Amino acid sequence: MLGPDAVHVYQATDGMITDLRNGRVDAAVLNSSEAGHRAKQSPGLKVAQVKPDPGVAASRTRSDVVLAIRRDATGLAKAFDDDIRGLLAKGTIGSILTKYGIDPRLAGGAG
């Protein structure tokens, strides 16, 4: 959308944040959780929500966290599911996100 000359893909976030802080780039795009965390570490950086764009599918959907386990480990999968539901219900995940400068609404029911 911005054109190949307007976008640089970084191999590591640290280099991107360094370039942003030093004025070598005007803006950086990170996932929501890392953006909040990096902004908290670097006073002066501001986080803004990207508005959904019909031409960019990733801007119109929420990101999910995926934990990979063996297909036959059904007991482990149930234990993860139960624990995560409990952490969401108690507000624990929302509190952790808030502590690190991340909007707790990103965790769905955590906020």
Side-chain angles (χ1 to χ4, degrees):
M1 288 188 67
L2 298 173
D5 295 336
V7 177
H8 177 79
V9 177
Y10 287 82
Q11 296 301 310
T13 305
D14 289 336
M16 180 174 59
I17 297 300
T18 298
D19 281 358
L20 183 61
R21 278 193 302 227
N22 292 329
R24 290 188 287 269
V25 296
D26 297 321
V29 178
L30 295 163
N31 65 46
S32 300
S33 59
E34 187 166 13
H37 176 68
R38 295 291 183 150
K40 190 172 183 178
Q41 290 180 323
S42 300
L45 294 185
K46 296 188 185 336
V47 176
Q49 183 72 33
V50 174
K51 293 181 181 172
D53 186 291
V56 181
S59 73
R60 300 185 322 264
T61 59
R62 290 178 63 154
S63 297
D64 293 320
V65 174
V66 178
L67 301 172
I69 59 172
R70 286 190 351 244
R71 181 178 295 178
D72 62 350
T74 55
L76 181 59
K78 182 180 180 332
F80 271 120
D81 288 345
D82 291 347
D83 193 46
I84 292 167
R85 276 191 210 93
L87 292 169
L88 285 168
K90 293 175 191 169
T92 304
I93 293 176
S95 295
I96 293 168
L97 293 175
T98 300
K99 177 180 175 180
Y100 291 100
I102 303 165
D103 184 346
R105 294 175 295 176
L106 294 171

